[in-house]
């Protein structure tokens, strides 16, 4: 029998009859640029007044006009490259807690707010992924071609808060759980998706600081209930190619999806035992 906690969808093999009818998309506006767009970051605030486009060697801040039917560039930050063949910018992320943007520049992470930030040498080689902790305003995670995931406190970046080395090849995507930030996803070119518990540096850490009891008990779920601890919760190896993206459900905190290069989307759930460690 198949894994009851997963649902695998191969996008390239869906029968035509299973595709729901779709409504036509309306082209609201188009932005003209003179370079490739690597990524677009949308303003996470309710006002939705601006967005950012990341290019090979610059990023641009766009301001919406005329009730979101057009936009113009309000600011441009350029990054001169030390090599003609090198594209220094790879990705970026918008802090959901404040008007702050972090950008990956080669092996470093740079941020812009009312003041500038830079984490020099955040990784030994290319940084490919970033995500802000939605529940801790000063915490950011990064990952890259050194196969490592690192967590940073932006108030003191002399060294990382935590480092995880559970991947064997480039790490392409990372994601904090928006409801329970002690749950963290990473995926990479090793065809794996890792679910981590990082409770010690999460917003929930204080809940367990005074709990010194190690006793187990069988609750109504039938699981032995222990307090959450740091470590690899589970590795998911249902993909046969590089996993380029991971995302948590916006409505169900225990569901997440991963997408690989071959077009396969896999939906999984957090293991029940880990779930009950958090909610009980």
């Amino acid at each position: 029998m198949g894994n009851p906690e997963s649902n695998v969808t191969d996008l390239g093999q869906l029968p035509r009859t299973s595709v729901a009818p779709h409504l036509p998309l309306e082209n609201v506006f188009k932005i003209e640029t003179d370079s490739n767009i690597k990524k677009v970051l949308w303003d996470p605030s309710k006002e939705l007044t601006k967005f950012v486009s990341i290019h090979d060697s610059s990023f641009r801040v766009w301001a919406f006009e005329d009730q979101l039917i057009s936009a113009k560039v309000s600011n441009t930050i350029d990054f001169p490259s030390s090599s003609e063949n090198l594209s220094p910018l790879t990705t970026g992320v918008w802090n959901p807690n404040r008007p702050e943007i972090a950008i990956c520049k080669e092996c470093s992470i740079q941020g812009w707010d009312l003041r500038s930030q830079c984490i020099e040498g955040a990784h030994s080689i290319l940084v490919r992924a970033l995500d802000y902790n939605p529940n801790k305003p000063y915490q950011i995670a990064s990952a890259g071609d050194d196969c490592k995931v690192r967590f940073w406190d932006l108030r003191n970046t002399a060294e990382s808060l935590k480092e995880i080395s559970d991947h064997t090849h480039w790490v392409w995507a990372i994601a904090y759980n928006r409801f329970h930030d002690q749950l963290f996803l990473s995926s990479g070119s090793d065809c794996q998706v890792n679910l981590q518990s990082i409770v010690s540096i999460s917003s929930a850490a204080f809940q367990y600081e005074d709990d010194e009891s190690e006793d187990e008990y069988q609750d109504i779920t039938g699981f032995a209930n222990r307090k959450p601890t740091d470590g690899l919760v589970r590795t998911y190896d249902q993909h046969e190619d590089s996993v380029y993206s991971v995302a948590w459900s916006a409505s169900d905190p225990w569901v997440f999806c991963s997408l690989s290069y071959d077009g396969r989307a896999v939906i999984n759930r957090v293991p029940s035992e880990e779930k009950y460690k958090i909610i009980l």
Side-chain angles (χ1 to χ4, degrees):
M1 296 179 64
N3 184 352
E5 293 188 341
S6 69
N7 181 17
V8 180
T9 302
D10 192 332
L11 300 183
Q13 298 182 359
L14 283 173
R16 185 176 298 273
T17 55
S18 68
V19 179
H22 62 273
L23 298 175
L25 297 177
E26 179 184 356
N27 184 4
V28 178
F29 68 89
K30 181 171 66 174
I31 60 175
E32 300 289 346
T33 68
D34 53 3
S35 61
N36 293 331
I37 297 179
K38 307 294 271 301
K39 191 170 185 178
V40 172
L41 308 178
W42 294 96
D43 182 356
S45 68
K46 294 181 179 179
E47 288 78 14
L48 191 62
T49 58
K50 59 178 69 72
F51 65 94
V52 168
S53 59
I54 301 174
H55 306 264
D56 288 339
S57 56
S58 68
F59 78 82
R60 300 171 188 177
V61 181
W62 300 76
F64 285 113
E65 297 181 307
D66 302 328
Q67 298 181 344
L68 307 184
I69 63 173
S70 64
K72 69 176 181 179
V73 176
S74 61
N75 194 14
T76 299
I77 304 295
D78 293 315
F79 297 83
S81 177
S82 57
S83 170
E84 293 182 358
N85 297 322
L86 184 63
S87 296
L89 303 187
T90 52
T91 189
V93 64
W94 198 311
N95 190 338
N97 302 293
R98 53 193 297 186
E100 178 180 271
I101 298 165
I103 304 290
C104 293
K105 180 182 181 293
E106 299 176 1
C107 302
S108 302
I109 302 168
Q110 297 190 11
W112 284 264
D113 194 354
L114 298 177
R115 64 185 189 277
S116 63
Q117 301 172 343
C118 183
I119 307 177
E120 295 286 357
H123 291 262
S124 58
I125 45 181
L126 192 67
V127 181
R128 290 191 180 272
L130 291 174
D131 196 23
Y132 276 104
N133 187 324
N135 302 325
K136 298 189 74 173
Y138 296 101
Q139 189 179 111
I140 191 172
S142 62
D145 285 0
D146 57 1
C147 313
K148 300 181 186 300
V149 178
R150 292 192 173 117
F151 301 87
W152 308 89
D153 186 328
L154 294 175
R155 296 166 294 185
N156 181 5
T157 58
E159 60 179 312
S160 60
L161 296 171
K162 185 180 182 63
E163 178 181 294
I164 298 175
S165 303
D166 286 333
H167 284 278
T168 58
H169 210 268
W170 304 344
V171 183
W172 281 93
I174 54 178
Y176 283 97
N177 187 301
R178 268 36 188 171
F179 298 92
H180 306 287
D181 58 288
Q182 62 264 55
L183 295 175
F184 186 85
L185 293 171
S186 62
S187 66
S189 299
D190 54 5
C191 310
Q192 293 186 347
V193 177
N194 288 343
L195 174 62
Q196 296 279 350
S197 172
I198 54 169
V199 65
S200 66
I201 59 171
S202 73
S203 61
F206 74 94
Q207 299 178 19
Y208 309 101
E209 289 177 352
D210 299 327
D211 183 6
E212 298 180 354
S213 173
E214 296 294 337
D215 295 337
E216 296 180 9
Y217 64 90
Q218 296 289 334
D219 58 30
I220 59 174
T221 66
F223 290 102
N225 188 37
R226 297 188 183 95
K227 64 181 181 181
T229 56
D230 284 10
L232 180 64
V233 176
R234 179 174 293 183
T235 294
Y236 300 85
D237 58 359
Q238 296 131 315
H239 292 282
E240 299 178 356
D241 213 327
S242 297
V243 187
Y244 284 162
S245 183
V246 289
W248 291 96
S249 168
S251 59
D252 187 333
W254 314 110
V255 173
F256 61 90
C257 182
S258 54
L259 180 65
S260 56
Y261 177 75
D262 58 4
R264 171 171 290 192
V266 181
I267 299 173
N268 277 293
R269 291 184 176 273
V270 173
S272 297
E273 184 175 0
E274 191 67 23
K275 171 181 175 179
Y276 289 119
K277 284 182 184 179
I278 294 173
I279 64 176
L280 294 179

